[in-house]
Amino acid sequence: MASLKDVAKRAEVSLMTVSRALNAPERLKPETLTRVQAAIAELNYVPDLSAKKIRGARATPKTIGVLALDTVTTPFSVEITLSIEETARAHGWNSFVVNMFSDDSPESIVDLLLSHRPGGIIYTTMGLRQVPVPHKLLTLPCVLANCESLHDRVASYIPDDEQGQYDGVKALLEAGYRRPLCLHLPAQNIATRRRRRGLERACREASIDPDNLMHVYMGNGDAHYHDIPGSVLAQIHQGKPAFDSVICGNDRIALMVYQTLLGQGIRIPQDVAVMGYDNMVGIGDLFLPPLSTVQLPHYDIGRLSALHIINGETHLNTVSVHSPWLKRASMVQNDQ
């Protein structure tokens, strides 16, 4: 990353002049200011918060900067940033978080992050997605957590959604359920497509044609959770469900399914089994009966991402992190 000294050298001025260009531009001659600003642009220099002290900009040793896109404001992914902080401290490092929201200017937020001069960067998002990685981030060791790079090859740690869904559906089918109603997240979601592949693989191994099952995709946006009861009720005729189980795209869908089934006098799991996905923090065990679900490995993703920076790993691979199947009472056990 370019330093204050690099800018001064390029513009052929003193460090004091560069500092004035950053902090008191009105004190410089217009032609001098223009020359310094041109050097800043050419070098992609990001001002250091300590630049006022007229010292060369250096990376802060053992500090991880976390660029969090819609992450720390949600209960679903808070474990990522918690894990990064705990892992960093355990290894004698520090971390700090800069939030970025969908309506923010990415360039301004990235400059804010880099102005703290971290030794490495973790870019994390709420919900698995593909993101364009600002090139300035790649001037430092950088890793993606819970997201993948849209253009550049960057090391990433993501949930193994296909295997997680495969394990859950396999357990459901082995317990004797053969007619699941499949309530998916929106079709355009990356996780939806990968979970569908896991579901199909488990079905085919059990000699079930997945295309013959009932599949419903939720609309995009939280308002469409209210469509779930209608999708369930459409498959219940004269109080009898046309399905023996419900595979839910996430635990929020499962919550709507519980309310709908129990409101119709349909027992869980005696009449219909329910499985979710995510293992929402502090929620899964509060379902009555407790919800069988797949654990999104957010804590492990945060830990592995932090270790990637701390250990100086240089690979550019996408690593799928194990998503454990958690069997609880919403599914009848094999021996019943």
Side-chain angles (χ1 to χ4, degrees):
M1 182 183 294
S3 70
L4 203 68
K5 288 182 179 179
D6 295 327
V7 174
K9 183 177 180 180
R10 176 66 65 91
E12 298 181 341
V13 297
S14 68
L15 288 175
M16 180 65 75
T17 299
V18 177
S19 179
R20 284 176 178 166
L22 294 171
N23 304 304
E26 70 282 355
R27 298 177 61 185
L28 294 181
K29 295 179 180 179
E31 59 270 23
T32 303
L33 178 61
T34 298
R35 194 160 73 249
V36 173
Q37 289 175 335
I40 289 173
E42 291 168 8
L43 296 172
N44 280 325
Y45 173 72
V46 177
D48 188 348
L49 291 181
S50 63
K52 293 180 181 179
K53 298 179 181 178
I54 318 302
R55 286 193 288 201
R58 296 182 306 234
T60 303
K62 294 189 174 182
T63 299
I64 298 174
V66 181
L67 180 60
L69 177 58
D70 299 333
T71 300
V72 297
T73 57
T74 68
F76 309 108
S77 300
V78 67
E79 285 196 337
I80 294 178
T81 49
L82 172 64
S83 178
I84 292 170
E85 174 71 15
E86 291 183 346
T87 303
R89 289 187 182 184
H91 288 79
W93 284 57
N94 298 309
S95 69
F96 66 90
V97 178
V98 174
N99 291 307
M100 181 166 67
F101 306 108
S102 299
D103 56 351
D104 280 331
S105 163
E107 183 175 347
S108 298
I109 297 299
V110 168
D111 283 353
L112 174 61
L113 175 74
L114 295 180
S115 70
H116 290 273
R117 292 301 190 267
I121 296 166
I122 298 175
Y123 186 2
T124 179
T125 65
M126 161 55 192
L128 179 63
R129 65 182 86 174
Q130 293 178 328
V131 294
V133 180
H135 286 161
K136 284 184 179 180
L137 293 184
L138 302 181
T139 62
L140 290 174
C142 181
V143 63
L144 306 185
N146 204 42
C147 55
E148 300 169 295
S149 174
L150 193 57
H151 304 298
D152 303 287
R153 198 164 166 227
V154 184
S156 306
Y157 294 87
I158 62 171
D160 193 343
D161 279 303
E162 180 175 341
Q163 187 65 34
Q165 187 76 307
Y166 167 82
D167 290 340
V169 175
K170 180 181 179 181
L172 182 78
L173 300 178
E174 287 180 346
Y177 300 97
R178 313 297 288 180
R179 295 176 291 111
L181 168 62
C182 306
L183 302 179
H184 302 279
L185 292 171
Q188 65 268 31
N189 287 12
I190 298 173
T192 302
R193 297 194 296 269
R194 294 175 183 175
R195 293 176 190 179
R196 173 76 187 246
R197 289 201 298 266
L199 182 152
E200 291 180 349
R201 178 155 59 98
C203 285
R204 292 194 175 100
E205 288 182 4
S207 300
I208 294 174
D209 185 349
D211 293 331
N212 289 336
L213 301 180
M214 296 167 281
H215 295 276
V216 178
Y217 288 86
M218 193 179 89
N220 194 33
D222 284 357
H224 289 284
Y225 281 103
H226 295 286
D227 299 337
I228 298 301
S231 298
V232 175
L233 292 172
Q235 302 298 329
I236 299 175
H237 308 287
Q238 296 182 341
K240 300 291 184 181
F243 49 88
D244 61 6
S245 53
V246 185
I247 299 172
C248 302
N250 64 14
D251 293 353
R252 297 173 74 185
I253 291 177
L255 177 62
M256 303 299 287
V257 169
Y258 263 55
Q259 294 181 74
T260 305
L261 293 178
L262 296 174
Q264 296 295 307
I266 297 172
R267 300 170 299 169
I268 304 170
Q270 294 89 339
D271 302 320
V272 172
V274 180
M275 65 167 283
Y277 207 108
D278 287 358
N279 195 34
M280 284 170 51
V281 178
I283 300 298
D285 282 326
L286 298 182
F287 281 78
L288 293 175
L291 177 66
S292 299
T293 189
V294 178
Q295 172 75 59
L296 272 179
H298 285 152
Y299 192 90
D300 285 340
I301 287 173
R303 177 179 58 82
L304 292 170
S305 299
L307 289 175
H308 186 99
I309 300 296
I310 293 167
N311 295 333
E313 297 184 30
T314 58
H315 75 77
L316 301 177
N317 302 323
T318 296
V319 178
S320 295
V321 181
H322 177 58
S323 302
W325 163 243
L326 306 176
K327 190 169 184 179
R328 298 188 180 119
S330 66
M331 181 186 302
V332 173
Q333 304 297 318
N334 283 325
D335 55 359
Q336 289 186 329

